[in-house]
Each structure stands twice: as C-alpha cells, then as structure tokens.
C-alpha cells in the first residue's frame, strides 16, 4: 500500500484518523517514549478502518490504531535503535496529545519538519530485486516493476525493499520517506501475525 501526504491544519484531521507527523492521538495515561538522547519523534499513525479497502499481505485487524515513534540518536549507527510502535485496539477516550519536543535541532524543528499532513492511500505491489541475485534480467524486471507499482513517498506493509538481509523473515510495517530520506520500520513476520511490536527493526536510509 502506498501513501501520499498533504499539509493541513491539525484541526482538519479527526481524532484517530490516519496521519503523518503533527500531534498523535493517544490514551490519557500514555507516557511519551523517551530515550537517552531525548524524546522520540511521532512520525505517524494508521487507523485500520482507513485501510479496509486495500489488499494487504496479512490478516491484519479491521479496527485499531498503529502509532510510530522514531528515535533520532544524532547519526549512524544508532539512529532508530530505541524507536517504538504501539498498537491500540480500543480507542475509547483517545485525545490529541501535546507533543514532547526534541529541542536539539532548534525550537522550531517540529514546525519545520514534523508538521501535520493527512494521508491519501492507494494500492501498491512490490517485487524485491534481491530475489534474483544471479539473474540480471529478472533483477532489472523487478526494478522496473517497483518503479511502476511500489514507487511512493510512503509505503506500508509487504516485503522490505531496501534491506535485503531481512528478506524471508521480516515484513515491512512502514517506510516513511521525505525528500531523500527514508525511515523504515520492519517486524518479524510471526510477530506481525501476533500483533506483537516489541521486536521491530528500524533503519534510516538516505536514498
């Protein structure tokens, strides 16, 4: 599944709808994820009701909210190490939370880079080139296939396209891309089926 975004005022996105950046929608007793480097960044949330019309690779729930928080460590190789993903099945009492700001990059960092955007989704399909390591023609076919069917700023669920070491054992949750940067959340396939998000793999790539 592919996602495009459009900047909007925070008030234009209903509570618990899918969104990119801005302020998250959370239960009142939620503790914002903190790391040794400071607060995680809220990257986005997916409401499974918004995804019901799309063909997804797993029997994912029909309701609930998946929320993504990214750990910025200030550079490779530790970026993403303490990132977290939360799945909320009961959204009763959820409200728009106040952002815990990461002030290391300036007081206006969130306004410049993590401002709210609404999602629009469309169906996508991926065919990793790593499936054909010794066949250049099939690898080239996979590249062209992905350019036509998996080429979007944001990608959700499916086979990881960029980290070949994860093929066969991990499924991609989300690939958030802005400009030349991409933050990818992946999860062992059996954990995704169990809705267990404790063992995520997070990679930052400059594409």
């Amino acid at each position: 599944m592919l996602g495009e975004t459009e900047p909007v005022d925070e008030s234009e996105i209903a509570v618990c709808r899918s969104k990119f950046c801005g302020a998250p929608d959370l239960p009142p007793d939620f503790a914002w994820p903190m790391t040794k480097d400071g607060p995680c960044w809220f990257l986005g949330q997916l409401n499974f009701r918004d995804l019901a019309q799309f063909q997804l690779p797993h029997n994912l729930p029909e309701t609930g909210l998946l929320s993504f928080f990214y750990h910025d460590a200030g550079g490779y190789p530790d970026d993403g190490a303490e990132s977290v993903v939360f799945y909320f099945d009961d959204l009763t009492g959820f409200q728009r939370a106040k952002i815990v700001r990461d002030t290391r990059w300036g007081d206006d960092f969130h306004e410049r880079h993590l401002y709210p955007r609404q999602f629009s989704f469309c169906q996508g399909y991926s065919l990793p080139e790593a499936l054909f390591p010794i066949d250049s023609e099939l690898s080239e076919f996979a590249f062209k296939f992905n350019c036509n069917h998996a080429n979007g700023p944001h990608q959700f669920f499916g086979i990881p396209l960029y980290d070949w070491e994860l093929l066969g054992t991990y499924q991609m949750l989300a690939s958030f891309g802005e400009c030349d940067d991409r933050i990818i959340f992946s999860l062992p396939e059996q954990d995704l089926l169990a809705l267990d998000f404790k063992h995520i793999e997070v990679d930052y790539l400059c594409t």
Side-chain angles (χ1 to χ4, degrees):
M1 188 180 70
L2 306 178
E4 299 277 353
T5 57
E6 177 185 3
V8 295
D9 187 85
E10 192 78 66
S11 62
E12 296 183 40
I13 305 176
V15 172
C16 290
R17 292 299 301 271
S18 299
K19 66 183 299 190
F20 181 58
C21 294
D25 301 320
L26 298 166
D29 59 348
F30 182 84
W32 193 280
M34 304 291 293
T35 76
K36 64 184 185 304
D37 303 297
C40 286
W41 305 346
F42 170 68
L43 284 188
Q45 62 191 32
L46 297 176
N47 189 314
F48 283 107
R49 289 191 183 276
D50 296 335
L51 315 182
Q53 62 180 303
F54 300 104
Q55 182 182 354
L56 301 178
H58 290 286
N59 187 24
L60 294 168
E62 297 180 356
T63 60
L65 197 70
L66 202 59
S67 299
F68 297 84
F69 290 82
Y70 177 69
H71 164 225
D72 177 84
Y76 180 84
D78 295 324
D79 279 343
E82 298 183 58
S83 302
V84 287
V85 174
F86 298 94
Y87 171 64
F88 304 102
D89 57 349
D90 183 0
L91 306 183
T92 304
F94 270 52
Q95 56 194 18
R96 192 136 296 164
K98 183 178 179 179
I99 297 170
V100 179
R101 292 175 173 269
D102 184 349
T103 58
R104 291 175 295 163
W105 317 119
D107 292 337
D108 63 345
F109 174 78
H110 286 265
E111 284 73 21
R112 288 186 290 114
H113 297 286
L114 302 178
Y115 51 89
R117 279 150 279 187
Q118 65 182 1
F119 272 123
S120 60
F121 300 113
C122 67
Q123 187 69 58
Y125 301 93
S126 62
L127 184 61
E129 298 163 57
L131 293 175
F132 314 106
I134 60 174
D135 192 319
S136 59
E137 290 188 6
L138 284 176
S139 181
E140 177 68 16
F141 170 80
F143 172 78
K144 293 180 179 179
F145 181 93
N146 290 331
C147 287
N148 291 325
H149 301 289
N151 189 19
H154 311 284
Q155 304 165 5
F156 305 99
F157 308 108
I159 299 172
L161 286 178
Y162 303 100
D163 193 336
W164 294 1
E165 294 180 359
L166 299 181
L167 278 176
T169 57
Y170 277 70
Q171 287 288 314
M172 182 179 68
L173 293 177
S175 176
F176 295 106
E178 283 293 293
C179 299
D180 293 326
D181 297 325
R182 194 170 287 276
I183 297 174
I184 303 171
F185 290 76
S186 301
L187 186 72
E189 186 169 6
Q190 67 271 17
D191 289 1
L192 178 57
L193 294 173
L195 298 177
D196 180 357
F197 298 96
K198 294 192 294 293
H199 304 110
I200 59 169
E201 174 83 17
V202 180
D203 297 291
Y204 168 77
L205 298 181
C206 185
T207 56

